């Protein structure tokens, strides 16, 4: 590409050109500092935003049940999207700091080249000035020789026809004149040669050497402009890319708001909180003057015993069997997950120990063995806790034969009332990002109900938990029979049995709070739980 400046700046490049070069280099430094400070602002913003999301992460409504309603779950998912948006500020910071480093490198290279060019130009100017001084010296000698020759000639002419001087003196004046004339001719030739050399050097300086250095500075300024253009574009592209991803996060934030479901939250709260106990009956007037007052007092004292219905019709707050089963199954599921994770960690330590034993230089074998010992103790503790949960389930009449493996089964878990559940598949990426961001906190089980696995292996709608099958001796007349003292009809729990006062029932199993019974008349296959306090004494 031809040079624009060429030799047109021969008399104005210094100091204007150097000031122009310095101005562009100062701009590069200023832009590099801007990118660096902008990156630090993005880093601080991302850090504060993640800290804010971590601080306001919602807690479980019920620690034991690990329940989160749709409002909390939706807000958590929105926080996860906000964390993803904060991560984009970190990405933008990395791009800005990378550009800042590249601009600084370009600045150092431009400063180095400009210094070299300035030195070369200064050397060329110094050489030309030295040639000019030499020419002035030769010219001065040439001028002096001319003056001396002129004076010698005047002396010779003035004394040539003088009768007062001798012939020898006249010849002496003539020889001086001839000598001065000869020196003048030599100085003239020397001056002519020096003048020709200077003109040649001057022409090469202004037409070749100086334009060459000016072209170098011109190319350098073009490179500076190209670097600025390139990194301006990179800056804009980085901002645009981060903005596009943040825009998607904001759109997802808006979508998460639609996942709030008041009906689900209300039903979930009822599922977790409702005890299944009936509403208390009206308080009956006590006629202490009647003949039956003593028997009534005895019945009231019996009804007011622990776990029984008192005179105000209230029951104790111990959970119903169905609710206990749900809680235990959820605990078993969580325990299986922890056990699986601990087992995988122990297997990984075994492999790591084998590697260290084959090559001891890779790591400390004793440290790995200590960690393995701790992991083994953790696995044993989890196994013991799991066995305790299975025993409690067996005490409630749950078949635990299919719960022996590490993988939990959820066929006995009670399902919530059918509501529009919030979809969890679309939130997998953001939920996993949120879990990575807050990995130091305890994991929270999702609040949304999961489909119960059917016998065919496909996910179906929530089903009521199956009632445990009666023993083979249910049909035998030797089973105890009880009569109901009160009506009982509580459809909130699917395994409750609706009965009326005076109805006789077979007793299958039970405790001080709830009893599993079976009808003795009508549909004899019907069975379920009734409050123990609602029954009279057993009789054969």
């Amino acid at each position: 590409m031809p040079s624009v400046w060429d030799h047109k700046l021969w008399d104005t490049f210094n100091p204007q050109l150097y000031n122009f070069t310095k101005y562009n280099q100062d701009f590069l430094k200023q832009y590099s500092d801007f990118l660096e400070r902008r990156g630090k602002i993005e880093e601080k913003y991302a850090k504060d935003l993640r800290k804010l999301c971590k601080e306001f992460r919602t807690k479980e409504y019920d620690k034991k049940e690990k329940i989160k309603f749709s409002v909390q779950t939706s807000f958590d998912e929105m926080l996860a999207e906000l964390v993803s948006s904060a991560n984009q500020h970190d990405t933008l910071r990395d791009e800005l700091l990378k550009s800042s480093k590249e601009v600084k490198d370009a600045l150092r290279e431009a400063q180095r080249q400009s210094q070299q060019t300035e030195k070369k130009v200064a050397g060329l100017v110094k050489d030309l000035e030295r040639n000019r001084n030499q020419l002035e010296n030769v010219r001065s000698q040439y001028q002096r020789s001319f003056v001396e020759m002129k004076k010698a000639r005047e002396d010779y002419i003035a004394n040539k026809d003088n009768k007062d001087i001798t012939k020898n003196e006249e010849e002496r004046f003539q020889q001086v004149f001839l000598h001065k004339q000869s020196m003048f001719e030599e100085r003239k030739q020397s001056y002519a040669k020096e003048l020709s050399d200077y003109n040649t050097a001057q022409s090469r300086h202004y037409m070749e050497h100086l334009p060459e250095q000016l072209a170098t500075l011109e190319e350098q300024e073009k490179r500076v402009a190209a670097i600025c253009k390139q990194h301006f574009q990179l800056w804009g592209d980085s901002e645009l890319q981060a903005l596009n991803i943040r825009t998607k996060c904001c759109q997802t934030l808006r979508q998460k708001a639609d996942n709030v479901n008041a009906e689900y939250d209300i039903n979930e709260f009822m599922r977790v909180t409702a005890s299944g106990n009936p509403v208390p009956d009206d308080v009956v007037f006590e006629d202490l003057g009647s003949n039956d007052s003593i028997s009534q007092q005895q019945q009231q004292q019996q009804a007011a015993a622990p776990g029984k219905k008192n005179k105000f019709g209230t029951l104790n707050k111990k959970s119903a069997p169905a609710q206990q089963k749900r809680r235990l199954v959820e605990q078993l599921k969580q325990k299986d997950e922890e056990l699986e994770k601990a087992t995988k960690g122990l297997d990984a330590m075994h492999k790591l120990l084998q590697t260290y034993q084959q090559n001891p230089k890779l790591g400390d074998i004793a440290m790995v063995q200590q960690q393995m010992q701790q992991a083994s103790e953790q696995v044993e503790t989890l196994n013991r806790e799991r066995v305790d949960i299975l025993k409690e389930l067996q005490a409630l009449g749950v078949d635990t034969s299919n719960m022996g493996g590490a993988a939990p089964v959820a066929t006995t878990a009670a399902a919530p009332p059918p509501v529009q559940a919030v979809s969890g598949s679309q939130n997998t990426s953001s939920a996993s990002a949120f879990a990575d961001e807050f990995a130091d906190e305890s994991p929270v089980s999702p609040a949304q109900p999961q489909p119960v696995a059917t016998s065919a292996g496909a996910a179906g709608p929530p089903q009521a938990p199956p009632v445990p099958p009666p023993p083979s001796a249910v049909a035998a007349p030797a089973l105890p029979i009880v009569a109901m003292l009160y009506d009982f009809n509580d459809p909130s729990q699917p395994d409750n049995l609706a009965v009326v006062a005076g109805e006789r029932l077979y007793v299958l199993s039970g405790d001080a709070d709830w009893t599993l019974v079976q009808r003795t008349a009508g549909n004899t296959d019907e069975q379920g739980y009734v409050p123990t306090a609602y029954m009279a004494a057993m009789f054969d």
Side-chain angles (χ1 to χ4, degrees):
M1 181 179 294
S3 173
V4 176
W5 290 344
D6 196 23
H7 61 279
K8 300 179 182 65
L9 300 176
W10 72 271
D11 59 342
T12 58
F13 78 92
N14 187 10
Q16 285 83 356
L17 179 57
Y18 293 146
N19 290 338
F20 174 67
T21 301
K22 185 176 184 303
Y23 170 80
N24 287 333
Q25 292 176 359
D26 291 343
F27 178 80
L28 281 181
K29 182 178 184 306
Q30 182 182 6
Y31 181 60
S32 174
D33 294 341
F34 165 78
L35 293 176
E36 185 174 358
R37 292 181 61 181
R38 174 66 194 283
K40 291 180 179 179
I41 291 175
E42 294 294 330
E43 180 180 12
K44 184 177 184 301
Y45 178 77
K47 182 179 179 181
D48 291 344
L49 192 57
R50 284 193 295 266
K51 182 179 179 181
L52 178 68
C53 294
K54 182 177 180 180
E55 180 180 354
F56 281 87
R57 187 183 182 189
T58 57
K59 307 302 181 182
E60 301 89 349
Y61 170 75
D62 190 331
K63 293 290 185 179
K64 297 180 180 179
E65 299 284 349
K66 293 191 178 298
I67 294 300
K68 276 193 176 181
F69 300 113
S70 65
V71 174
Q72 297 170 295
T73 303
S74 179
F75 182 63
D76 277 350
E77 292 168 351
M78 294 176 73
L79 291 181
E81 291 298 332
L82 197 57
V83 169
S84 299
S85 178
N87 293 337
Q88 294 309 310
H89 289 276
D90 278 339
T91 303
L92 178 58
R93 173 210 60 191
D94 295 339
E95 294 296 331
L96 293 175
L97 294 181
K98 179 181 178 182
S99 294
S100 176
K101 182 179 181 301
E102 293 177 357
V103 171
K104 286 182 179 179
D105 294 340
L107 172 62
R108 285 192 290 268
E109 180 64 19
Q111 290 174 339
R112 185 185 65 81
Q113 290 185 358
S114 63
Q115 290 175 359
Q116 291 181 351
T117 303
E118 187 174 355
K119 288 181 179 179
K120 288 182 180 180
V121 172
L124 292 174
V125 173
K126 187 175 181 180
D127 291 342
L128 183 63
E129 187 66 25
R130 184 170 55 251
N131 291 336
R132 183 182 291 110
N133 293 335
Q134 187 174 351
L135 176 64
E136 291 295 329
N137 291 333
V138 174
R139 182 180 179 181
S140 298
Q141 293 176 4
Y142 169 63
Q143 289 176 344
R144 284 195 303 270
S145 65
F146 172 76
V147 172
E148 291 175 355
M149 181 198 70
K150 182 178 178 181
K151 184 177 184 304
R153 185 178 62 179
E154 290 176 351
D155 292 342
Y156 172 67
I157 293 174
N159 293 293
K160 181 178 179 181
D161 297 332
N162 191 352
K163 302 293 185 178
D164 297 334
I165 62 174
T166 62
K167 186 68 175 178
N168 293 332
E169 290 178 346
E170 181 182 354
E171 291 178 355
R172 184 174 61 81
F173 281 111
Q174 183 180 8
Q175 290 177 357
V176 170
F177 167 68
L178 293 175
H179 176 69
K180 295 296 182 182
Q181 187 178 22
S182 175
M183 289 183 61
F184 171 72
E185 291 297 332
E186 291 179 1
R187 295 286 189 276
K188 183 178 180 180
Q189 293 178 1
S190 176
Y191 172 68
K193 181 178 181 302
E194 192 67 30
L195 182 62
S196 176
D197 292 343
Y198 173 77
N199 288 334
T200 301
Q202 180 179 256
S203 176
R204 293 183 61 186
H205 173 78
Y206 289 114
M207 304 304 294
E208 296 180 15
H209 296 161
L210 185 59
E212 180 181 353
Q213 301 307 317
L214 293 177
T216 301
L217 291 175
E218 182 180 350
E219 290 299 322
Q220 175 183 315
E221 299 307 323
K222 291 179 180 179
R223 284 195 297 272
V224 169
I227 290 171
C228 291
K229 180 178 180 180
Q230 175 188 359
H231 287 281
F232 284 173
Q233 292 174 345
L234 290 176
W235 174 24
D237 292 341
S238 300
E239 292 273 10
L240 185 60
Q241 183 178 3
L243 180 61
N244 289 335
I245 298 178
R246 292 202 301 269
T247 300
K248 294 180 180 179
C249 292
C250 293
Q251 292 173 351
T252 307
L253 283 176
R254 179 60 183 82
Q255 296 172 0
K256 300 303 182 184
D258 297 334
N259 293 340
V260 177
N261 190 322
E263 183 180 359
Y264 171 81
D265 290 349
I266 292 172
N267 283 278
E268 185 70 5
F269 176 77
M270 182 182 67
R271 182 185 72 84
V272 176
T273 309
S275 64
N277 297 327
V279 178
D281 295 332
D282 295 337
V283 179
V284 181
F285 175 75
E286 301 178 13
D287 187 1
L288 301 179
S290 64
N291 295 330
D292 299 332
S293 60
I294 299 178
S295 60
Q296 290 178 359
Q297 291 178 1
Q298 292 177 351
Q299 292 178 1
Q300 291 173 1
Q301 292 175 358
Q302 180 180 1
K308 299 300 193 322
K309 186 175 180 180
N310 58 26
K311 63 178 180 179
F312 297 106
T314 58
L315 292 172
N316 64 343
K317 295 184 179 180
K318 186 175 181 180
S319 300
Q323 188 174 351
Q324 290 178 333
K325 288 189 292 184
R326 283 196 304 271
R327 184 174 63 254
L328 290 173
V329 169
E330 290 176 358
Q331 292 177 359
L332 182 64
K333 181 179 179 181
Q334 180 182 1
K335 200 64 63 178
D336 284 334
E337 292 175 354
E338 295 176 359
L339 183 60
E340 181 180 3
K341 183 178 180 181
T343 304
K344 289 182 179 179
L346 185 59
D347 293 340
M349 291 181 187
H350 275 293
K351 295 179 181 179
L352 184 63
L353 179 61
Q354 294 176 358
T355 303
Y356 285 179
Q357 289 176 344
Q358 294 174 359
N359 192 351
K361 296 181 180 180
L362 295 178
D364 188 358
I365 298 178
M367 181 179 296
V368 177
Q369 290 176 343
Q370 182 180 1
Q371 294 176 353
M372 286 180 58
Q373 179 65 25
Q374 296 176 355
S376 300
E377 294 176 355
Q378 182 182 5
V379 171
E380 292 178 0
T381 302
L382 292 173
N383 275 320
R384 288 195 299 269
E385 294 175 353
R386 188 179 186 280
V387 170
D388 293 339
I389 296 175
L390 289 174
K391 290 180 179 179
E392 294 184 22
L393 286 171
Q394 291 173 356
L396 292 175
V398 179
D399 183 10
T400 60
S401 59
N402 57 347
M403 300 182 182
V409 292
T411 55
T412 59
V419 295
Q420 295 179 355
V422 180
S423 174
S425 60
Q426 61 183 359
N427 306 323
T428 304
S429 60
S430 61
S432 60
F434 196 53
D436 294 338
E437 184 65 29
F438 304 128
D440 57 332
E441 296 188 2
S442 59
V444 179
S445 59
Q448 307 299 339
Q450 302 296 328
V452 179
T454 60
S455 59
Q463 301 292 332
V467 179
S472 58
V474 167
L479 285 175
I481 299 177
V482 295
M484 297 301 299
L485 297 175
Y486 311 97
D487 294 341
F488 176 72
N489 185 10
D490 181 14
S492 63
Q493 303 296 336
D495 51 0
N496 289 345
L497 182 64
V499 295
V500 296
E503 183 177 357
R504 295 192 175 191
L505 304 165
Y506 286 122
V507 176
L508 304 180
S509 62
D511 54 22
D513 299 300
W514 294 90
T515 302
L516 179 62
V517 296
Q518 183 177 352
R519 296 193 189 280
T520 59
N523 187 2
T524 57
D525 293 333
E526 285 186 319
Q527 54 181 296
Y529 286 95
V530 297
T532 304
Y534 280 37
M535 299 186 308
M538 297 184 185
F539 56 90
D540 294 335

